[in-house]
């Protein structure tokens, strides 16, 4: 048994498919199938039930994968500690982050990071918050940047978190979307949710964290929105709302897609708008190398002074 064999079995378990795992590992499907057969022959047990598709781990397979993940994590930690003996040079950064957030948060800090760690290697996984935390649980990333308030949803006791910044949720609609009687305070651009509730609402699909925040806003007001459609991204929702299709609720950073006049499309729905915390999550038993710690500090410096308008 070697590290390569451990990675093979874990990859197949994660993909539930030899073909997909082979693509991920950059080897041929026949080569991976042969390797798995040899591993099972050496172990004397079947690790996968090949009669089922997608592939399912046997009881022996579950034990193997659990142990393999632990061994690979120990290998990863050893490499991190050895890298730190070289002051973090040549470090690997395995980051998980939502796609839209990556486009917003990474560009302002990446050049500063590269200036200090020019030979670092990035591996970025993009997915929804729940899937990212599953990747962290399975040691496929070392840390995750995502919105997830501990007060709202339970987090694995195996994780620890660091606050990057706090972000508010804003309402976006066309410039003249609302009649005068729909405002509680027109000068302050404060609308009455109860009076606009029958207008078309553009939602975000459930797998995104903003979906739950929007539900929280309506729940606080005792209202049910008139859902027109659900889209995959806050940027898309903002653009559709700004062109007059309806209204939406998005993280404030997503309004940037509307350009320099973005504030003209933004409204308040409460004198105390809902906020969420943008956190970095990593395993309590893990070890972040110096380069990863520096990357987190850059994010805090860039975004931690309050929301950038």
């Amino acid at each position: 048994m070697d590290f390569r064999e451990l990675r093979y079995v874990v990859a197949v378990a994660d993909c539930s498919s030899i073909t997909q795992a082979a693509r991920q590992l950059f080897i041929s499907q026949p080569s991976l199938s042969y390797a798995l057969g040899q591993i099972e022959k050496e172990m004397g047990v079947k690790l996968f039930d090949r009669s089922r598709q997608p592939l399912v781990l046997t009881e022996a397979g579950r034990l193997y994968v659990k142990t393999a993940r632990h061994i690979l994590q120990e290998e990863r930690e050893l490499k991190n500690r050895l890298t730190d003996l070289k002051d973090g040079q040549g470090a690997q950064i395995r980051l998980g982050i939502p796609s839209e957030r990556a486009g917003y948060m990474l560009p302002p800090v990446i050049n500063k990071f590269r200036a200090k760690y020019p030979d670092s290697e990035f591996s970025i996984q993009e997915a929804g918050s729940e899937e990212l935390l599953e990747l962290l649980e399975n040691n496929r990333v070392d840390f995750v940047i995502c919105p997830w308030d501990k007060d709202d949803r339970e987090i694995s006791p195996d994780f620890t978190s660091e606050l990057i910044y706090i972000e508010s949720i804003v309402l976006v609609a066309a410039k003249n979307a609302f009649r005068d009687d729909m405002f509680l305070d027109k000068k302050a651009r404060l609308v009455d949710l109860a009076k606009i509730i029958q207008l078309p609402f553009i939602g975000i699909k459930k797998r995104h964290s903003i979906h739950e925040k929007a539900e929280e806003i309506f729940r606080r007001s005792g209202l049910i929105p008139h859902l027109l459609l659900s889209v995959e991204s806050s940027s898309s929702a903002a653009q559709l709302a700004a062109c007059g299709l309806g209204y939406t609720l998005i993280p404030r950073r997503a309004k940037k897609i509307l350009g320099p006049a973005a504030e003209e499309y933004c409204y308040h729905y409460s004198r105390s708008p809902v906020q969420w915390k943008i956190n970095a999550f990593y395993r309590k038993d893990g070890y972040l190398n110096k380069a990863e710690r520096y990357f987190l500090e850059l994010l805090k410096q860039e975004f931690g002074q309050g929301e950038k308008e």
Side-chain angles (χ1 to χ4, degrees):
M1 183 190 304
D2 58 29
F3 290 123
R4 182 195 60 180
E5 293 174 348
L6 298 177
R7 291 191 181 92
Y8 283 0
V9 176
V10 168
V12 175
D14 287 339
C15 295
S16 299
S17 164
I18 294 176
T19 301
Q20 292 181 25
R23 293 195 192 104
Q24 185 181 98
L25 294 164
F26 300 104
I27 63 174
S28 70
Q29 186 269 334
S31 295
L32 181 55
S33 294
Y34 176 78
L36 285 178
Q38 292 300 108
I39 294 168
E40 290 179 325
K41 182 178 179 180
E42 179 185 349
M43 295 292 103
V45 293
K46 291 293 183 182
L47 301 178
F48 296 93
D49 181 353
R50 288 172 172 76
S51 67
R52 300 170 64 180
Q53 292 294 331
L55 291 178
V56 176
L57 286 166
T58 63
E59 183 176 352
R62 287 192 292 272
L63 178 59
Y64 186 105
V65 169
K66 180 180 179 181
T67 305
R69 291 192 195 281
H70 178 73
I71 294 172
L72 292 172
Q73 178 61 23
E74 289 292 318
E75 180 206 21
R76 171 70 181 164
E77 181 172 330
L78 174 60
K79 287 182 177 179
N80 276 337
R81 292 182 183 277
L82 292 175
T83 296
D84 280 355
L85 294 178
K86 299 182 294 182
D87 198 30
Q89 298 303 318
Q92 289 185 326
I93 294 87
R94 299 193 306 166
L95 165 67
I97 189 169
S99 298
E100 281 192 283
R101 195 161 292 280
Y104 171 68
M105 295 188 71
L106 299 186
V109 301
I110 203 73
N111 286 335
K112 292 179 183 177
F113 177 82
R114 286 293 192 189
K116 184 168 183 177
Y117 296 101
D119 58 348
S120 58
E121 180 182 334
F122 265 91
S123 172
I124 300 176
Q125 295 273 4
E126 298 180 3
S129 297
E130 292 189 15
E131 185 179 346
L132 288 172
L133 291 171
E134 288 178 7
L135 293 175
L136 182 60
E137 182 72 38
N138 292 328
N139 295 320
R140 295 178 64 186
V141 295
D142 291 325
F143 64 106
V144 165
I145 306 295
C146 67
W148 193 302
D149 287 342
K150 285 187 175 181
D151 295 338
D152 296 338
R153 287 183 284 181
E154 187 176 350
I155 296 296
S156 168
D158 296 331
F159 298 161
T160 190
S161 67
E162 292 184 27
L163 176 66
I164 303 299
Y165 76 108
I166 295 175
E167 185 175 58
S168 61
I169 310 301
V170 299
L171 188 151
V172 170
K175 295 180 180 180
N176 298 308
F178 308 122
R179 303 189 308 268
D180 288 354
D181 64 301
M182 293 178 171
F183 286 91
L184 292 172
D185 185 339
K186 188 174 182 180
K187 185 176 181 180
R189 301 180 66 81
L190 175 62
V191 299
D192 185 342
L193 272 182
K195 291 184 178 179
I196 70 169
I197 201 63
Q198 292 304 316
L199 297 178
F201 177 67
I202 302 166
I204 314 295
K205 292 186 177 180
K206 287 185 178 181
R207 70 188 189 92
H208 300 283
S209 298
I210 185 61
H211 175 88
E212 292 190 15
K213 279 300 179 185
E215 285 192 335
E216 176 187 334
I217 290 167
F218 290 119
R219 189 167 56 248
R220 283 186 179 187
S221 303
L223 301 170
I224 299 176
H226 175 58
L227 182 65
L228 175 65
L229 78 164
S230 294
V231 296
E232 283 288 354
S233 75
S234 295
S235 296
S236 295
Q239 290 173 304
L240 291 171
C243 75
L245 193 60
Y247 70 100
T248 190
L249 292 164
I250 60 170
R252 176 167 285 276
R253 50 90 190 170
K255 74 180 178 65
K256 292 182 181 290
I257 194 68
L258 303 177
E263 281 300 320
E264 297 179 22
Y265 301 96
C266 294
Y267 300 83
H268 302 290
Y269 51 86
S270 170
R271 298 189 188 277
S272 301
V274 168
Q275 297 179 320
W276 60 10
K277 299 173 183 175
I278 309 305
N279 295 313
F281 291 98
Y282 49 89
R283 294 181 63 91
K284 289 180 179 178
D285 60 357
Y287 178 85
L288 296 185
N289 58 47
K290 289 181 179 179
E292 290 170 327
R293 295 289 340 164
Y294 180 65
F295 186 79
L296 288 182
E297 290 307 312
L298 287 178
L299 289 175
K300 291 178 184 179
Q301 292 170 20
E302 177 68 25
F303 298 98
Q305 301 302 314
E307 293 179 321
K308 303 297 178 72
E309 295 300 326

